Amino acid sequence: MESNTPPIWNSPEDETPQPARSSPLRLARHGATFLGVSVVSGALLAGMALPAVGALGLSAKNTAEGFDDIPDDFRTPPLTQATQIFDAGGALIAKVYERDRTVLTAEQMSPLMRQAQVDIEDARFYEHGAVDPKGLLRAISKNAESGTTAQGASTLTQQYVKNVNVEKAGDDPVAVREAQRKTLGRKIQELKIAIKLEEELTKDQILTNYLNITYYGNGAYGVEAASQRYFGKSNKDLTVAEAATLAGLVQNPSQYDPKAHPQAALNRRNTVLDKMLENGHITADQAKDAKAAPLGLNYQEPQNGCITAKAGMGFFCDYVRHVVKQDPAFGATAAERKKLWDQGGLNIRTTLDPDKQAAAQSAVSSNVRVTDPVSAAATMVEPGTGKILAMAQTRPYGLSAAKNQTVVNFNVDAAMGGGNGFQPGSTFKPIVVAAALEAGLTPTQEYSSPNKLEYPTMKTCEGTWKNTTKPKAVVPNESASEQGPYQLKEAMALSVNTYFVQMEQEIGLCAVKQMANKLGIGGKASGKPLDEVPAMGLGVEEVSPLSMAGVYATFAAGGKYCTPLAITSITTVDGKDVPVPAAHCETAFSADTAKALNTVLNGVTETGTGRDLGLEGDRQIAGKTGTSDKKRAAWFSGYTPQLATSVWIGGPNGGVEMRNITINGKYRKEVFGADGPGPIWRDAMNQALRGTPKQTIPMADIPDAPPRKDPNASGSASASGSPTGTPTGSPTNPRTGGGRTSAPAHPPATAPANTPAGAPANAPAGAAANAPTGQDD
């Protein structure tokens, strides 16, 4: 995207041609103007050959304050450049820049391009000092004769100084105008610095700096970006005619734009060729052949920003930008990190696996349409490393609402470019189990698990939560037949709400919150703290798919939690390494707890709500379905030993009730975790893991609960209503695709007196404490 900064005119004339004036008075005034410049320049003429003398002369008149110590910015200006972001395989994801520029060394530049620029800009550049006396006198004479300001006398060094001032002004239009003001004071200051630069830098160094900083139009700064923009090749591969075309642009990039004004560009190119021939840098035959050649443009449209990323990768690209701007590893202050990003010139290698990204993007796009009222998002994380391998969503990255585009990354928290997250429903319940097992409960823990339960009093980190509403808030199970007692395996397979509320009561809400923190959920996706309320364990705290993928990756990694990792290395364009933070990994819970969780969550996919989500080749999996209250969000989070994926589906703003809804051209009476996001998860995992070895998930030996008597059963039926011999973990109510056959019961809309502020905006009153059942799976 082209900068809004006004174009820099780098012409030696330093002025646009003005209409001739016939008035003798105007001629006299014009001559006087240049006479004034010549007087000033005369004071500096010593500096042309003896810069130190010129400097001393000016200092004696107190007009060169600070002249002996020119800023480093003029010696080696920190030029803004393009940053390139690559996937894990080294393929370019996107190029991001404030100004499209690639800084080169003298050796990396085409000698032909260097010579062409000198010949047209300042043919005597290697012969004079910072000021060209012959050029100055010639300009005064010709402009006085013509009555115009058609010819100036700025040397290439002076032009370079002006360009540095404009570069330092950045995109501030006021500062840019000030840097370009055609005043005597500005001219004197440029001359002073130019003299000092000629003393400290070689001519070749000045030319190299100039060719890196100058503007060539169409958003291209420097010869390399210009060569790529107009001819689609490196500057070292330019022909004589192409080099002359680029050199001619500098005087006025708009007027000589070969794309907009090809004839003007052709004429200007031929003028450059004449100069090169005149100065003996090309032969007559070379000039003739070059003039006969067409412009031969191979114009490349500017490709800037994450919006130009490969299909589906724009959101990950934007996440990388947020990482650089927020991680203290890239600068102690926000200003320092912003400067690093804005200055650019970085080659960023990331963790994004192109094959897995393609799998995730294909899965979300083939199951949910861009035009659907809901969207879907999926994040893949590598267990044990924290590497983000894929980040996909159905709404494309962009600014056009008419095209259903968005720049909100539904996969991440608000601080990293996302929204305020979504209620994860029952996918949060395994966090309660992890806290309980670490607190000493056994994997065969049994609770009465009544069909309905008044929320009991619970300990929090700072006190006690009490159910003070009248009538008291109640949590129901999904159907009337779901009533205990239940042990853990069956309770998880069926996603029995009252079981997990009783588990929360025994271990306390503080233990649940602390376990969530250990698993990377330090707060809600919005940045607000987690509310210590009983429904926390049922999934009412809004989170992001990246957070949940990190949780389930921890289960797969035997209890080892790693912070999300998106960047593996950064180098500058000149090959210097920029330190990047590694993923920080800690043990969140024991290996025994992990094995027990694996067993319980494998049961969900074998006999529970996720039993229809098996992968190709009978690959062993574990996971959990989840659906929030009123079907506003549905989830499936699951894993194999080498890959964890979390999938969300719902309204982009959280307010779409997924009942009587059409998604991907199919009518749905209701959407559940198993039949909404579940198939997306299965499709993504199948494609991502295809061709990889099958691995076994470490399990614990958790005995089944003894058969329970069903008062409504007769003969040899078991407690689950299934024939004798069927595992007790089998669902009480068979459901197609893991979906519930009956509508969920909803708790009262009255909030407990001590419900914390900040309840989910889209939930009914009292939601923060009790409302979403969290298990409409």
Side-chain angles (χ1 to χ4, degrees):
M1 191 175 296
E2 189 167 344
S3 170
N4 292 324
T5 303
I8 305 170
W9 286 12
N10 301 305
S11 163
E13 288 81 8
D14 203 32
E15 302 282 353
T16 51
Q18 301 294 326
R21 298 288 189 268
S22 57
S23 166
L25 181 58
R26 286 185 178 276
L27 291 175
R29 286 175 177 170
H30 187 77
T33 299
F34 271 87
L35 182 61
V37 175
S38 68
V39 170
V40 173
S41 299
L44 297 172
L45 286 179
M48 291 179 286
L50 299 170
V53 175
L56 289 173
L58 286 171
S59 296
K61 295 180 181 180
N62 297 318
T63 58
E65 184 178 347
F67 181 45
D68 292 329
D69 298 309
I70 63 171
D72 288 337
D73 284 353
F74 287 95
R75 296 185 186 90
T76 54
L79 302 179
T80 56
Q81 300 182 67
T83 283
Q84 298 186 100
I85 302 173
F86 301 93
D87 65 27
L92 182 67
I93 294 175
K95 186 163 68 170
V96 182
Y97 53 81
E98 293 296 316
R99 291 183 176 174
D100 189 7
R101 175 190 283 119
T102 300
V103 174
L104 303 178
T105 64
E107 292 73 25
Q108 293 171 320
M109 290 180 180
S110 164
L112 188 63
M113 184 67 218
R114 292 170 69 89
Q115 194 60 65
Q117 202 71 71
V118 170
D119 283 342
I120 192 61
E121 296 280 336
D122 187 357
R124 299 184 61 256
F125 173 64
Y126 283 95
E127 300 171 22
H128 60 66
V131 180
D132 180 6
K134 290 184 180 179
L136 179 64
L137 295 174
R138 182 178 62 250
I140 293 173
S141 174
K142 286 192 175 293
N143 287 303
E145 288 175 4
S146 66
T148 71
T149 56
Q151 190 171 61
S154 293
T155 64
L156 192 146
T157 305
Q158 290 170 251
Q159 295 171 52
Y160 167 67
V161 172
K162 178 184 68 176
N163 283 341
V164 172
N165 283 327
V166 173
E167 180 77 17
K168 290 165 68 177
D171 290 330
D172 182 344
V174 175
V176 170
R177 284 196 296 271
E178 179 63 26
Q180 291 182 311
R181 284 178 59 200
K182 295 176 175 62
T183 63
L184 192 59
R186 182 184 66 83
K187 182 65 69 175
I188 291 173
Q189 187 65 25
E190 288 177 1
L191 286 169
K192 292 190 297 183
I193 295 174
I195 289 171
K196 190 65 176 176
L197 277 175
E198 291 262 354
E199 183 183 47
E200 297 193 7
L201 301 180
T202 67
K203 288 285 190 177
D204 282 341
Q205 288 173 321
I206 293 171
L207 178 59
T208 298
N209 287 355
Y210 175 76
L211 290 171
N212 277 322
I213 199 173
T214 196
Y215 182 62
Y216 288 86
N218 286 294
Y221 291 81
V223 292
E224 181 63 18
S227 182
Q228 296 288 352
R229 176 77 72 253
Y230 295 107
F231 297 109
K233 62 172 70 172
S234 169
N235 86 101
K236 296 200 78 170
D237 298 324
L238 293 172
T239 65
V240 172
E242 291 166 346
T245 299
L246 294 186
L249 289 175
V250 174
Q251 185 186 70
N252 192 324
S254 298
Q255 180 178 326
Y256 299 124
D257 181 352
K259 187 168 178 283
H261 307 293
Q263 189 58 52
L266 195 69
N267 295 340
R268 179 64 175 169
R269 179 200 71 178
N270 292 344
T271 298
V272 177
L273 292 170
D274 288 339
K275 285 288 186 181
M276 296 179 75
L277 176 61
E278 177 186 329
N279 293 314
H281 296 126
I282 58 174
T283 66
D285 286 343
Q286 285 178 306
K288 179 180 178 181
D289 292 342
K291 283 186 176 183
L295 280 175
L297 294 183
N298 181 18
Y299 186 78
Q300 309 292 311
E301 288 289 345
Q303 298 292 308
N304 181 24
C306 293
I307 201 168
T308 66
K310 293 179 182 179
M313 296 185 181
F315 295 101
F316 180 79
C317 170
D318 187 66
Y319 180 79
V320 169
R321 178 175 68 90
H322 278 85
V323 170
V324 174
K325 286 191 170 185
Q326 295 189 37
D327 195 315
F330 298 110
T333 66
E336 289 177 9
R337 298 189 291 272
K338 182 179 185 299
K339 181 179 179 181
L340 174 68
W341 181 262
D342 291 348
Q343 188 168 315
L346 307 175
N347 291 322
I348 303 177
R349 190 73 171 261
T350 71
T351 59
L352 195 73
D353 183 310
D355 294 333
K356 290 179 174 56
Q357 174 66 26
Q361 190 62 48
S362 174
V364 295
S365 299
S366 61
N367 284 276
V368 179
R369 297 176 182 175
V370 172
T371 55
D372 284 343
V374 296
S375 187
T379 299
M380 292 181 172
V381 170
E382 183 177 72
T385 68
K387 290 181 179 179
I388 303 170
L389 304 180
M391 189 177 282
Q393 69 185 54
T394 52
R395 299 288 168 97
Y397 188 86
L399 299 171
S400 174
K403 296 179 180 178
N404 295 291
Q405 295 176 343
T406 182
V407 293
V408 178
N409 186 351
F410 301 138
N411 283 284
V412 302
D413 292 353
M416 301 303 289
N420 290 332
F422 311 96
Q423 294 178 342
S426 294
T427 60
F428 198 93
K429 288 174 180 175
I431 298 176
V432 178
V433 176
L437 294 175
E438 287 294 288
L441 274 63
T442 69
T444 56
Q445 178 66 41
E446 183 175 282
Y447 293 109
S448 61
S449 311
N451 183 252
K452 292 182 180 181
L453 177 70
E454 290 183 355
Y455 280 107
T457 298
M458 298 188 188
K459 291 291 185 182
T460 67
C461 292
E462 297 179 356
T464 303
W465 184 92
K466 294 182 179 180
N467 190 346
T468 59
T469 60
K470 295 181 180 180
K472 290 188 175 182
V474 173
V475 55
N477 290 332
E478 178 60 26
S479 66
S481 62
E482 282 184 354
Q483 50 187 338
Y486 287 110
Q487 289 191 5
L488 177 58
K489 284 171 62 177
E490 189 176 9
M492 185 67 78
L494 297 174
S495 205
V496 178
N497 282 343
T498 57
Y499 178 93
F500 294 99
V501 169
Q502 289 181 306
M503 179 173 276
E504 276 185 308
Q505 180 191 27
E506 182 162 355
I507 63 174
L509 292 172
C510 189
V512 178
K513 179 180 179 180
Q514 289 173 344
M515 180 55 67
N517 293 164
K518 289 181 180 180
L519 294 172
I521 303 178
K524 300 179 184 181
S526 64
K528 295 179 180 178
L530 295 175
D531 294 320
E532 288 185 72
V533 292
M536 173 170 59
L538 305 181
V540 301
E541 313 278 7
E542 296 91 342
V543 294
S544 65
L546 175 58
S547 292
M548 295 309 293
V551 169
Y552 281 73
T554 307
F555 301 159
K560 178 183 177 183
Y561 170 74
C562 297
T563 55
L565 182 67
I567 299 173
T568 55
S569 68
I570 299 179
T571 57
T572 60
V573 290
D574 55 358
K576 296 179 181 177
D577 290 329
V578 176
V580 299
H584 179 68
C585 298
E586 288 186 350
T587 299
F589 48 75
S590 69
D592 287 342
T593 293
K595 289 178 182 179
L597 277 167
N598 289 340
T599 305
V600 169
L601 294 177
N602 174 255
V604 173
T605 64
E606 292 288 335
T607 62
T609 56
R611 65 185 180 278
D612 292 334
L613 301 178
L615 299 183
E616 296 171 352
D618 293 326
R619 192 183 292 268
Q620 198 173 48
I621 61 173
K624 184 70 184 76
T625 54
T627 313
S628 72
D629 190 51
K630 293 189 178 181
K631 308 295 187 293
R632 288 193 175 108
W635 295 70
F636 188 82
S637 297
Y639 56 94
T640 66
Q642 64 266 58
L643 184 62
T645 300
S646 184
V647 179
W648 156 87
I649 182 173
N653 297 317
V656 177
E657 293 188 19
M658 292 183 289
R659 291 191 176 103
N660 299 313
I661 190 171
T662 298
I663 300 175
N664 198 31
K666 298 178 181 179
Y667 171 79
R668 305 285 188 90
K669 184 178 180 181
E670 292 181 298
V671 174
F672 300 93
D675 60 11
I680 297 175
W681 182 90
R682 180 184 58 214
D683 293 351
M685 292 288 282
N686 274 332
Q687 185 176 334
L689 294 170
R690 198 164 289 148
T692 64
K694 289 194 291 186
Q695 297 182 11
T696 302
I697 299 176
M699 300 278 192
D701 182 15
I702 304 176
D704 290 335
R708 291 180 286 109
K709 291 286 186 178
D710 185 340
N712 298 318
S714 60
S716 59
S718 70
S720 66
S722 301
T724 304
T726 301
T728 57
S730 301
T732 304
N733 291 325
R735 289 151 290 174
T736 302
R740 296 289 176 176
T741 57
S742 58
H746 297 296
T750 305
N754 57 350
T755 297
N762 296 318
N770 63 331
T773 65
Q775 62 96 42
D776 301 347
D777 300 317

